Structures are given as C-alpha cells and as structure tokens.
Amino acid sequence: MTILADQLIKVDHVTKKYGRFKAVRDASFTADRGEIHAVLGPNGAGKTTLFRCMLGLLNFEGSITVDGNDVRKGGKWIRGQVGYLPQHSSPYDDMSVEANLKFYAGLKGINSNRVEESLKEIRLTRFRDRKAGALSGGMKQRLMLGISQLSDPPILILDEPTANLDVQGQLEFRQLLGEILDKGKCVLVSTHLLREAHEIRLFKGHVLVVNKGRVVQAGGVEDFMKDAELKDHLFIDTGENKPDAMVKVVRDLGFKEAEVHKAQIVVECNHEEKFTILKGLSDKGFTPESFRVEEPSLEKAFMQMTSDDLKTTTEKVTKK
C-alpha cells in the first residue's frame, strides 16, 4: 500500500455508540495533503473518540478510508501512516531526550538515522542528553511531536497539543506546525481553545466544528465564517465632513443599518462590500480621513454554529 492521492482521509457518516450514548453522530468530512484542520469543539464534544475511530482503535458505524484504504481492513497499515499525539501523552522522565527517541524508534523498527533528523526538526539537539523530566512543558511537547513523526508519516493527528503550554510554548509549537505543513503533510489539530483556531487562519487552514458528537461544519475558514452569517464592521472616520450627510450616502447605497457613533460611521457589511461603500462616498465628494475593518471572530461563528437553538437544517458539511 502506498500514499498517492491528494485526498488522504475520508470520513463518511461515522457513528460511535457506547450503549445508547452516541459519542460521535453521523460525522462526515475529508482532509487532503498539505491541509491543516482545526478540529474545534468543547471538552466532551467527541473529538478524541473521532480520532480513535480514524486510527482503527474503535469499532464504529459508517466508513473511514485513508488513501482509499478501509480502516477496518488495514488498521495496522493505516496507523503506520499517521503520527498520533494523544492529549495526555508524556515522555519517560528518567530517560534523556535522545534515549526517548531511540526507544520509540526501536519499537517502531525505524532507522536510527531518523533520531538525529528528529532532534534537528524539533530543535532539541543541544538538549539531547537532558532528562525528559527536566524539560519545560513546551520542550516536552516538542519531544512528543518528534516521537509521533519518527516514521515521517504523511498524516499527523494532534489531540489538544498546546492546552497546557504557556504562550512561548504555544508559539514555538505553532512554528513547528508551519514547517510540517511546508512538507505537504496533512495535519488535524483538535482544540477547545478558540485562540488556537484563530491561528489556523494564518495557515489558510480549515475548521471542523464538533458539538455533542456531531460535525456541524466542515470546510475552509472563510466558508465557516460565511455560513455563520457574520459580517465585517467598517468604521469610517468622518473627519471635517458632516457625519449626517455621510451616513445618508451610505444608507442610500443600501446599508440601512449604518449609524454614526463618536465621529465614526459604523457599517455592517460583507468583506467585499467595504469597497462599494468607500467608492460611493468618494463619488459624492466625501473622502474619509481614515477607516478600519473589524473582522468577525471565530468565537462568534463558533457560538452561532454550536448554539443549542441551532436548527438541524444548518448542520451541513462542505463537500469537496
């Protein structure tokens, strides 16, 4: 079996039950080579259970394939294609950084040359002889990331990798993620921290929103924001111009909810509509002193998508 296709992962109508309880409910999504997906949801949403299904560690209803290979039939091979970093993983504290890497390389039958390469990739070469128990939280997590990709797998699944790291540790870990993506790997990162999902936008990534075991949204970040029906807020400084005259122009352009607030015109609009507004003002002889755009936050989109009042008709998945 070899990885060839761009589409590495396909999850199709997957359900996982524990008795009558459904930990995962009819989940569907795809993930391609070179993509990063923020698997976003509160604790207990079903993210870890979904990952374990993808690794062939749990029985489930539905279908999961990796490069067209059924997880049920080729679980061992598929686990060899995935670097998995569990949520509560840790190295052996009484062993050195290098010894930890060599130990896991031996277990996996991986050439020892990968240990040296991994030390460089996770930037721990000069700490190779330090006991893992003496590492900072961020360095420990980098070591675990190195262990998870010793076999240089095309897919990485990272379960809450930065939940317990300080700001510096989170920044260093995200920098490593960027380098991994540059190699064309497919990365799934679960998180209940919305600030983590914000960072995925820097990678032009994707969002997979999971709530109560159900995938309520899957697709690009911009699609996610659009489907939540959230808009930009455009703030236009009126300067020496008459605010009432300017806001009338904006309202005449069709933006009836435009308001004046503290010498600023505030307009809710779609991303591309701000140019229409600014041009319309210019055509009427008004040159704004300055303006700024406040984009909608992922927090608002997340709340919109996971609201208890959300109708099932909005539970849609972006198909590729």
Side-chain angles (χ1 to χ4, degrees):
M1 296 182 182
T2 57
I3 289 285
L4 295 174
D6 284 337
Q7 186 182 90
L8 296 186
I9 300 170
K10 183 177 182 181
V11 175
D12 193 22
H13 297 290
V14 168
T15 294
K16 172 60 185 174
K17 298 178 183 177
Y18 292 99
R20 294 183 178 180
F21 174 68
K22 292 183 180 180
V24 178
R25 302 166 177 258
D26 197 32
S28 295
F29 70 93
T30 61
D32 295 356
R33 186 184 300 277
E35 290 183 347
I36 183 168
H37 293 248
V39 185
L40 180 62
N43 287 327
K47 304 186 297 295
T48 298
T49 301
L50 181 58
F51 286 163
R52 291 176 65 81
C53 289
M54 293 168 61
L55 290 165
L57 299 175
L58 297 174
N59 293 321
F60 57 87
E61 299 172 15
S63 171
I64 301 176
T65 58
V66 173
D67 192 38
N69 298 294
D70 192 327
V71 164
R72 290 190 182 90
K73 297 178 181 178
K76 183 177 180 181
W77 175 84
I78 286 169
R79 285 191 289 277
Q81 309 306 311
V82 179
Y84 180 46
L85 181 56
Q87 182 175 357
H88 300 296
S89 60
S90 61
Y92 289 101
D93 284 347
D94 59 344
M95 294 169 59
S96 70
V97 169
E98 183 175 13
N100 266 281
L101 288 166
K102 285 184 175 179
F103 173 74
Y104 282 101
L107 285 180
K108 298 178 180 182
I110 297 168
N111 192 299
S112 59
N113 290 338
R114 272 295 297 156
V115 171
E116 196 64 36
E117 293 173 5
S118 182
L119 283 168
K120 293 177 182 177
E121 290 169 356
I122 59 178
R123 302 191 188 91
L124 289 179
T125 301
R126 66 191 182 97
F127 300 103
R128 65 194 310 150
D129 296 323
R130 181 174 296 187
K131 292 288 182 69
L135 299 176
S136 67
M139 293 168 73
K140 277 188 178 182
Q141 199 68 322
R142 280 154 53 193
L143 174 56
M144 292 309 301
L145 179 63
I147 290 170
S148 71
Q149 57 173 345
L150 273 169
S151 63
D152 197 23
I155 301 167
L156 284 178
I157 296 179
L158 313 176
D159 196 355
E160 303 276 0
T162 63
N164 299 314
L165 300 185
D166 59 20
V167 174
Q168 182 62 32
Q170 291 175 19
L171 290 173
E172 291 173 352
F173 198 88
R174 285 198 288 269
Q175 186 175 357
L176 287 178
L177 279 186
E179 294 171 3
I180 289 169
L181 285 170
D182 288 342
K183 296 178 181 179
K185 297 190 178 186
C186 175
V187 182
L188 277 69
V189 185
S190 78
T191 181
H192 68 281
L193 303 174
L194 287 163
R195 68 174 180 272
E196 287 295 309
H198 272 293
E199 295 300 325
I200 299 299
R201 300 182 74 178
L202 300 179
F203 300 123
K204 297 183 179 179
H206 299 251
V207 174
L208 185 71
V209 182
V210 181
N211 192 45
K212 297 181 180 178
R214 193 183 297 275
V215 174
V216 298
Q217 178 74 14
V221 173
E222 296 308 318
D223 293 331
F224 173 52
M225 306 295 278
K226 187 179 295 184
D227 288 345
E229 298 182 350
L230 298 177
K231 296 185 176 182
D232 293 350
H233 281 84
L234 177 62
F235 297 85
I236 305 170
D237 292 324
T238 58
E240 300 298 324
N241 299 302
K242 293 182 178 180
D244 291 342
M246 288 183 70
V247 79
K248 183 180 184 304
V249 172
V250 175
R251 288 172 180 168
D252 288 345
L253 289 169
F255 301 91
K256 303 298 183 183
E257 303 301 318
E259 297 178 348
V260 178
H261 181 69
K262 294 182 179 179
Q264 285 186 326
I265 295 174
V266 183
V267 193
E268 189 178 76
C269 61
N270 293 327
H271 184 69
E272 64 277 3
E273 289 175 333
K274 64 179 181 288
F275 301 108
T276 301
I277 294 168
L278 294 171
K279 184 177 184 302
L281 286 169
S282 179
D283 290 344
K284 294 294 183 179
F286 296 106
T287 301
E289 187 171 284
S290 63
F291 71 90
R292 65 181 177 88
V293 179
E294 184 178 287
E295 295 183 351
S297 68
L298 283 175
E299 283 91 343
K300 289 182 180 179
F302 177 75
M303 293 304 295
Q304 184 85 350
M305 287 292 174
T306 60
S307 169
D308 288 336
D309 296 327
L310 186 67
K311 295 180 180 179
T312 57
T313 53
T314 65
E315 294 173 353
K316 52 193 174 183
V317 173
T318 303
K319 297 293 185 180
K320 299 197 175 184

